[in-house]
Tab-separated table of all heavy atoms in Angstrom:
chain	number	residue	atom	x	y	z
A	227	LEU	N	-63.106	-17.610	83.305
A	227	LEU	CA	-62.538	-16.474	84.037
A	227	LEU	C	-61.011	-16.470	83.978
A	227	LEU	O	-60.393	-15.404	83.875
A	227	LEU	CB	-63.014	-16.486	85.490
A	227	LEU	CG	-64.475	-16.137	85.708
A	227	LEU	CD1	-64.848	-16.288	87.174
A	227	LEU	CD2	-64.781	-14.741	85.220
A	228	LEU	N	-60.412	-17.652	84.058
A	228	LEU	CA	-58.954	-17.726	83.943
A	228	LEU	C	-58.475	-17.250	82.575
A	228	LEU	O	-57.500	-16.493	82.480
A	228	LEU	CB	-58.481	-19.169	84.168
A	228	LEU	CG	-58.317	-19.607	85.612
A	228	LEU	CD1	-57.984	-21.095	85.669
A	228	LEU	CD2	-57.223	-18.823	86.292
A	229	VAL	N	-59.159	-17.660	81.524
A	229	VAL	CA	-58.765	-17.256	80.177
A	229	VAL	C	-58.931	-15.751	79.989
A	229	VAL	O	-58.034	-15.068	79.482
A	229	VAL	CB	-59.580	-18.036	79.122
A	229	VAL	CG1	-59.390	-17.464	77.740
A	229	VAL	CG2	-59.203	-19.503	79.149
A	230	VAL	N	-60.075	-15.215	80.428
A	230	VAL	CA	-60.315	-13.773	80.297
A	230	VAL	C	-59.318	-12.988	81.147
A	230	VAL	O	-58.780	-11.967	80.704
A	230	VAL	CB	-61.769	-13.430	80.693
A	230	VAL	CG1	-61.969	-11.941	80.815
A	230	VAL	CG2	-62.722	-14.017	79.666
A	231	GLY	N	-59.045	-13.445	82.343
A	231	GLY	CA	-58.068	-12.776	83.195
A	231	GLY	C	-56.668	-12.804	82.613
A	231	GLY	O	-55.949	-11.802	82.626
A	232	TYR	N	-56.271	-13.941	82.082
A	232	TYR	CA	-54.941	-14.065	81.472
A	232	TYR	C	-54.803	-13.135	80.271
A	232	TYR	O	-53.793	-12.430	80.128
A	232	TYR	CB	-54.704	-15.520	81.059
A	232	TYR	CG	-53.382	-15.737	80.368
A	232	TYR	CD1	-52.205	-15.793	81.105
A	232	TYR	CD2	-53.302	-15.870	78.981
A	232	TYR	CE1	-50.981	-15.973	80.480
A	232	TYR	CE2	-52.087	-16.053	78.347
A	232	TYR	CZ	-50.938	-16.113	79.104
A	232	TYR	OH	-49.731	-16.295	78.477
A	233	LEU	N	-55.812	-13.138	79.402
A	233	LEU	CA	-55.764	-12.259	78.234
A	233	LEU	C	-55.783	-10.785	78.638
A	233	LEU	O	-55.098	-9.964	78.025
A	233	LEU	CB	-56.934	-12.566	77.296
A	233	LEU	CG	-56.847	-13.888	76.549
A	233	LEU	CD1	-58.120	-14.126	75.756
A	233	LEU	CD2	-55.628	-13.943	75.660
A	234	GLY	N	-56.562	-10.448	79.670
A	234	GLY	CA	-56.606	-9.065	80.139
A	234	GLY	C	-55.270	-8.598	80.678
A	234	GLY	O	-54.834	-7.476	80.416
A	235	ILE	N	-54.594	-9.476	81.405
A	235	ILE	CA	-53.287	-9.107	81.960
A	235	ILE	C	-52.255	-8.985	80.841
A	235	ILE	O	-51.436	-8.064	80.829
A	235	ILE	CB	-52.850	-10.146	83.015
A	235	ILE	CG1	-53.722	-10.004	84.255
A	235	ILE	CG2	-51.387	-9.981	83.376
A	235	ILE	CD1	-53.522	-11.085	85.284
A	236	LYS	N	-52.295	-9.893	79.880
A	236	LYS	CA	-51.318	-9.846	78.787
A	236	LYS	C	-51.557	-8.649	77.854
A	236	LYS	O	-50.610	-8.042	77.375
A	236	LYS	CB	-51.368	-11.144	77.972
A	236	LYS	CG	-50.762	-12.304	78.675
A	236	LYS	CD	-49.283	-12.087	78.819
A	236	LYS	CE	-48.637	-13.223	79.566
A	236	LYS	NZ	-47.256	-12.991	79.895
A	237	LEU	N	-52.809	-8.309	77.595
A	237	LEU	CA	-53.103	-7.239	76.642
A	237	LEU	C	-53.010	-5.844	77.254
A	237	LEU	O	-52.504	-4.919	76.637
A	237	LEU	CB	-54.494	-7.438	76.034
A	237	LEU	CG	-54.660	-8.669	75.134
A	237	LEU	CD1	-56.106	-8.809	74.706
A	237	LEU	CD2	-53.753	-8.584	73.932
A	238	PHE	N	-53.518	-5.677	78.476
A	238	PHE	CA	-53.597	-4.335	79.070
A	238	PHE	C	-52.481	-4.028	80.046
A	238	PHE	O	-52.253	-2.878	80.378
A	238	PHE	CB	-54.959	-4.148	79.758
A	238	PHE	CG	-56.101	-4.235	78.799
A	238	PHE	CD1	-57.024	-5.252	78.896
A	238	PHE	CD2	-56.251	-3.314	77.778
A	238	PHE	CE1	-58.077	-5.346	78.004
A	238	PHE	CE2	-57.296	-3.395	76.888
A	238	PHE	CZ	-58.212	-4.419	76.998
A	239	ARG	N	-51.802	-5.036	80.556
A	239	ARG	CA	-50.679	-4.881	81.486
A	239	ARG	C	-50.983	-3.944	82.665
A	239	ARG	O	-50.297	-2.927	82.858
A	239	ARG	CB	-49.449	-4.385	80.756
A	239	ARG	CG	-49.030	-5.240	79.607
A	239	ARG	CD	-47.588	-5.618	79.743
A	239	ARG	NE	-47.158	-6.335	78.545
A	239	ARG	CZ	-46.836	-7.611	78.557
A	239	ARG	NH1	-46.873	-8.285	79.655
A	239	ARG	NH2	-46.464	-8.204	77.457
A	240	PRO	N	-52.018	-4.279	83.457
A	240	PRO	CA	-52.289	-3.453	84.632
A	240	PRO	C	-51.232	-3.701	85.712
A	240	PRO	O	-50.581	-4.748	85.715
A	240	PRO	CB	-53.664	-3.944	85.095
A	240	PRO	CG	-53.720	-5.353	84.631
A	240	PRO	CD	-52.945	-5.392	83.345
Side-chain angles (χ1 to χ4, degrees):
L227 289 176
L228 277 174
V229 169
V230 169
Y232 178 77
L233 289 175
I235 289 172
K236 286 293 178 188
L237 293 175
F238 298 115
R239 304 233 186 248

